[in-house]
Amino acid sequence: MSDKKSLKDINRRNFFKVAGAAGVAAGAGVLVSRNPLLAKSQKKSKGKQNNEVAPGQLDDYYGFWSGGHSGEVRIVGVPSMREIKRIPVFNKDVATGWGITNESKKFLRGRSSGDTHHVHGSYKDGTYDGKHLFVNDKLNNRVARIRTDYMEVDAIVDVPNIQGAHGLFPQRYPKTDWIVVNSEFQTPVPNDATNKKAFNDPQQYYGMHTIIDAERMAIVCQVMVDENCDLAATDYKGLYSMTTSYNIEKGVTISEMLASDYDYMLVFHWERIRKALRDGKHKTVNGVKVIDGREGKSDIVLRIPIPKNPHGINISPDGKYAVCCGKVSPTVSVVEIEKIALAYAGKIKPADCIVAQPYVGLGPLHTTFDGRGNAITSIFIDSTNVKWNIAKAIEAEKKGEEAKKENPHIVDVLDVHYQVGHIMATMAETKEADGKWLISLNKVSKDRFINVGPLKTENDQLIDISGEKLRLVHDSPAYLEPHDCIMVRRDIIEPHVKDRHDMFEHPQVVTDNQVERKGNNVTIRMTAGAPIYGLQEVKVKKGNKVTLIVTNHDEISDLANGVAVSNYDINFVLAPWQTKSVTFTADKPGVFWIYCTNFCHALHLEMRMRFIVEDQLIGSRKVLAGLFATLSVVQLLYTSTMNLILISR
Ligand code: K7E
Ligand code: CA
């Protein structure tokens, strides 16, 4: 359902001409002179919000940051910008024991690395319900769910048939039943030896728009397309999900990916997806229902041409517009969502869904909203945040080229430091966007902090957007490498957050201290309560497979206990009433102190116990005895056989 004839239409825009991505990269390191957008001086109001959160005071917003290739999610208080917590997700985290405990290993299934880009909350009726967060892993192609009562991961789903699991977005209306996740990298489907003829033929590589059931955290289906699927969004009516695609060329090199003057915004029609599933119009690949969404193969996907290699796609809080960022084009494309139905029905061309294409600067990546009709777009190469008015952009588009020259849509341009990726305003991905604060997640901090060596931190800048002008108020370092964030009003999250675990939720909760031995397996069930463990010593034999299950019985808020087994590389903490377990082989004989790592009590240092691994003397004697027994049986068999032979003769 694409519309190549409308290409001319799009080409009327003044593309940012680059000789491949090399040009983009060259621009990236340099502060290019400001675009002339703000030539005329206008009197405009500045916001006057105070970002200081005094000692003992609480932040107004829960900020949820992706941690990029650290594999985690972080909680940042806004506007103080204090990093309050890290939630391990796809990484190994020795502070909490994530990746060490059996509970976390069950989720990680042998992997200890990930790349999180997009954190989003679960929705009800177009705004956050405060219950869950979802985050992608671009590296190992997974989606994790975090429950906000504990701020811990409670599910991870592997997504087969894809690579570069990138854009992720939950259903916003009526509530989050589905989550979509995109594959940025096209691959053969299936991507294994059964399909090896496709390995060297990129024409047989496909992108996928995967739909996940948010409740079960299981895959509903995948819609296969020729294009790659980059960023994702859902509308505010539960009708569509959308993605940007920058590689409709099916290129495998940068220049191939930049060959076409346009790419697509892809729209996925949910009712038609449901119908295809009902009608059995799918094949099964690696256990997943795959629907053919390629051009001409089904009516599920609408292809709206967008200038050259777009990146971000964001929906305005009134639900009216999808804004696609140009990246290689200095424009954003504003798609009126109402018109999408007309395009599906063939009444208008897909390109006619675009109602404005304003100039914003060199390298627009992502757009956010203040809830008052303005959009703010991050401009990577210019290193700016550009605030522009959506209605004015549409109006100028209607009036024509002459009206557009003056850039009447531009409200303000703010320099940021430096090379901004995502930006996000408070509550901006909901119908309750409140236009208070904006975060500019800058990739390069350079001279903004004391020099910490060649590998420098990121710079997350806090900007007051309550006035007409954008006012920079705070620089905040962030360890590698947040991509995106959301900021959720405190009153939405806070009621869900607990101080204690539900002790009996864990199937192996320990109420009685005991050591159980079954063959080579030793199970130690133990309580912890500052400043004492339920057991003072445990003896095992060398070679025993030991499972240590510990429940923290302290119910006082914030009283965590640690469990570390010296020289055994075991280290985890237990929040109040939490149970965790580890399984390991006691392969080193000796006395090993198990101690509490998390300061819990005046007698914290005394909170320790002996773990004694006895050399397997008795055991080895048993082995020897066994050997002798086997030998005697063999001998007995031999003699009796010989005797039989002799007798039979
Ligand atoms: Cu622009 Cu992964 Cu959202 Cu990073 S992506 S910038
Ligand atoms: Ca392209």
Side-chain angles (χ1 to χ4, degrees):
M1 302 181 85
S2 84
D3 183 21
K4 283 170 188 158
K5 270 184 225 129
S6 62
L7 239 191
K8 241 188 237 152
D9 247 27
I10 296 165
N11 277 336
R12 73 184 187 269
R13 295 291 150 255
N14 175 24
F15 284 149
F16 168 44
K17 304 263 190 214
V18 282
V24 179
V30 197
L31 270 180
V32 202
S33 62
R34 290 294 140 249
N35 55 45
L37 288 176
L38 277 186
K40 46 192 181 241
S41 72
Q42 287 165 299
K43 276 237 163 92
K44 281 180 182 160
S45 73
K46 269 191 182 177
K48 294 190 183 81
Q49 295 183 104
N50 185 3
N51 67 309
E52 194 202 346
V53 179
Q57 298 297 302
L58 301 181
D59 283 292
D60 295 331
Y61 298 89
Y62 280 83
F64 298 106
W65 258 237
S66 68
H69 43 86
S70 71
E72 62 194 14
V73 165
R74 300 168 192 165
I75 305 178
V76 175
V78 175
S80 75
M81 297 303 285
R82 297 177 293 194
E83 183 188 289
I84 299 171
K85 182 168 173 154
R86 294 178 171 196
I87 306 172
V89 183
F90 301 112
N91 54 326
K92 181 174 179 177
D93 177 51
V94 297
T96 57
W98 191 255
I100 295 173
T101 61
N102 294 334
E103 290 76 11
S104 55
K105 283 177 167 171
K106 188 185 83 192
F107 294 126
L108 294 170
R109 296 185 278 275
R111 288 160 163 170
S112 60
S113 180
D115 183 16
T116 61
H117 283 227
H118 305 111
V119 193
H120 289 288
S122 51
Y123 284 82
K124 193 173 178 237
D125 192 20
T127 191
Y128 300 121
D129 69 6
K131 291 181 186 165
H132 288 109
L133 303 167
F134 305 98
V135 64
N136 71 307
D137 170 19
K138 183 169 167 176
L139 173 66
N140 287 317
N141 303 298
R142 295 170 289 180
V143 173
R145 183 177 67 193
I146 293 164
R147 50 190 284 184
T148 53
D149 55 352
Y150 300 160
M151 294 296 178
E152 287 179 5
V153 168
D154 77 340
I156 292 181
V157 55
D158 288 273
V159 186
N161 305 327
I162 72 165
Q163 271 175 42
H166 190 216
L168 169 143
F169 216 96
Q171 180 179 357
R172 284 190 244 231
Y173 184 88
K175 65 180 182 53
T176 300
D177 292 321
W178 282 2
I179 319 158
V180 299
V181 65
N182 281 337
S183 63
E184 190 189 330
F185 309 147
Q186 290 128 307
T187 57
V189 179
N191 190 14
D192 57 33
T194 64
N195 195 17
K196 59 173 182 274
K197 62 182 190 315
F199 291 0
N200 292 305
D201 178 11
Q203 286 309 310
Q204 293 186 56
Y205 295 4
Y206 301 101
M208 289 280 191
H209 187 63
T210 301
I211 295 173
I212 294 168
D213 182 308
E215 168 90 29
R216 294 185 295 119
M217 285 300 278
I219 293 160
V220 175
C221 67
Q222 299 184 304
V223 182
M224 188 179 94
V225 292
D226 279 305
E227 302 83 359
N228 77 327
C229 298
D230 190 18
L231 272 293
T234 59
D235 68 343
Y236 277 83
K237 287 188 173 164
L239 301 176
Y240 314 115
S241 47
M242 299 106 158
T243 86
T244 48
S245 173
Y246 63 78
N247 188 20
I248 70 164
E249 300 91 341
K250 291 197 156 201
V252 291
T253 63
I254 289 174
S255 54
E256 285 170 13
M257 293 181 206
L258 285 162
S260 170
D261 275 344
Y262 71 99
D263 287 277
Y264 287 137
M265 169 183 148
L266 304 173
V267 187
F268 297 83
H269 195 298
W270 283 18
E271 196 42 55
R272 292 182 184 178
I273 291 174
R274 288 191 195 98
K275 185 167 188 307
L277 289 173
R278 276 197 307 271
D279 297 350
K281 285 195 176 150
H282 55 76
K283 53 181 181 174
T284 300
V285 185
N286 287 313
V288 173
K289 291 170 182 167
V290 176
I291 299 170
D292 198 337
R294 287 178 293 172
E295 206 165 348
K297 303 283 182 181
S298 76
D299 59 0
I300 287 170
V301 184
L302 184 78
R303 292 170 167 84
I304 302 177
I306 301 283
K308 219 171 175 94
N309 289 40
H311 187 48
I313 178 167
N314 299 87
I315 313 297
S316 59
D318 57 10
K320 284 189 187 162
Y321 305 106
V323 178
C324 295
C325 280
K327 193 167 72 184
V328 183
S329 157
T331 60
V332 289
S333 298
V334 181
V335 169
E336 189 176 336
I337 294 171
E338 277 285 323
K339 293 196 190 258
I340 287 174
L342 297 175
Y344 267 113
K347 291 184 182 148
I348 60 170
K349 288 185 285 183
D352 294 336
C353 296
I354 300 171
V355 292
Q357 227 155 35
Y359 178 91
V360 285
L362 297 186
L365 289 187
H366 298 281
T367 296
T368 190
F369 306 93
D370 69 357
R372 297 188 289 270
N374 300 304
I376 306 149
T377 298
S378 62
I379 313 290
F380 182 79
I381 296 170
D382 284 351
S383 277
T384 56
N385 285 186
V386 171
K387 177 174 171 181
W388 54 279
N389 185 276
I390 301 171
K392 282 196 178 149
I394 295 170
E395 196 186 297
E397 189 79 33
K398 274 191 200 138
K399 286 188 186 158
E401 288 307 301
E402 218 28 57
K404 286 182 73 171
K405 266 190 199 149
E406 293 296 309
N407 289 319
H409 58 289
I410 300 291
V411 182
D412 195 23
V413 180
L414 176 77
D415 289 346
V416 291
H417 314 86
Y418 308 93
Q419 266 63 58
V420 54
H422 274 269
I423 57 174
M424 184 62 76
T426 43
M427 296 293 291
E429 288 294 338
T430 75
K431 64 175 185 184
E432 298 183 297
D434 61 12
K436 296 257 167 81
W437 299 103
L438 171 74
I439 300 292
S440 180
L441 297 168
N442 307 310
K443 303 291 183 192
V444 175
S445 66
K446 258 194 286 204
D447 49 8
R448 302 295 285 193
F449 302 109
I450 49 176
N451 199 346
V452 290
L455 186 61
K456 298 186 196 332
T457 182
E458 318 295 304
N459 185 12
D460 298 348
Q461 292 187 299
L462 178 74
I463 295 153
D464 181 354
I465 56 167
S466 64
E468 282 175 278
K469 289 179 86 68
L470 305 170
R471 183 175 67 97
L472 174 63
V473 293
H474 187 71
D475 278 12
S476 186
Y479 193 58
L480 314 175
E481 180 201 57
H483 275 256
D484 194 8
C485 66
I486 55 169
M487 285 160 285
V488 184
R489 278 199 333 264
R490 197 170 95 212
D491 64 278
I492 294 175
I493 300 291
E494 211 169 44
H496 295 278
V497 186
K498 292 182 177 154
D499 281 331
R500 273 192 299 277
H501 277 255
D502 174 355
M503 194 188 277
F504 292 91
E505 202 173 277
H506 195 291
Q508 291 173 299
V509 57
V510 180
T511 49
D512 297 313
N513 292 285
Q514 49 168 278
V515 181
E516 185 187 296
R517 295 168 208 274
K518 262 190 200 155
N520 192 43
N521 295 322
V522 180
T523 305
I524 305 165
R525 294 189 179 83
M526 188 170 85
T527 59
I532 196 159
Y533 291 118
L535 297 167
Q536 287 300 284
E537 63 166 59
V538 174
K539 285 183 184 167
V540 302
K541 304 268 185 278
K542 183 186 167 191
N544 277 169
K545 197 174 152 207
V546 178
T547 298
L548 174 62
I549 312 167
V550 190
T551 300
N552 179 1
H553 279 249
D554 276 314
E555 62 178 308
I556 299 167
S557 177
D558 203 13
L559 219 174
N561 289 131
V563 181
V565 186
S566 300
N567 287 358
Y568 267 93
D569 200 26
I570 283 167
N571 179 15
F572 59 93
V573 298
L574 301 157
W577 287 11
Q578 189 171 26
T579 300
K580 285 181 183 174
S581 63
V582 288
T583 300
F584 62 100
T585 303
D587 52 6
K588 293 180 284 280
V591 176
F592 302 93
W593 286 96
I594 295 180
Y595 71 100
C596 176
T597 48
N598 198 85
F599 205 101
C600 61
H601 192 276
L603 294 172
H604 161 70
L605 296 170
E606 287 83 351
M607 186 166 174
R608 51 193 170 107
M609 61 177 279
R610 284 181 305 158
F611 175 62
I612 301 171
V613 182
E614 293 177 327
D615 204 10
Q616 190 68 289
L617 263 184
I618 305 161
S620 39
R621 257 184 224 143
K622 264 190 201 153
V623 172
L624 278 180
L627 257 176
F628 279 123
T630 322
L631 280 176
S632 1
V633 171
V634 171
Q635 198 185 9
L636 196 74
L637 275 173
Y638 177 72
T639 18
S640 34
T641 321
M642 289 312 280
N643 284 346
L644 272 174
I645 292 168
L646 287 175
I647 290 165
S648 62
R649 277 183 180 177

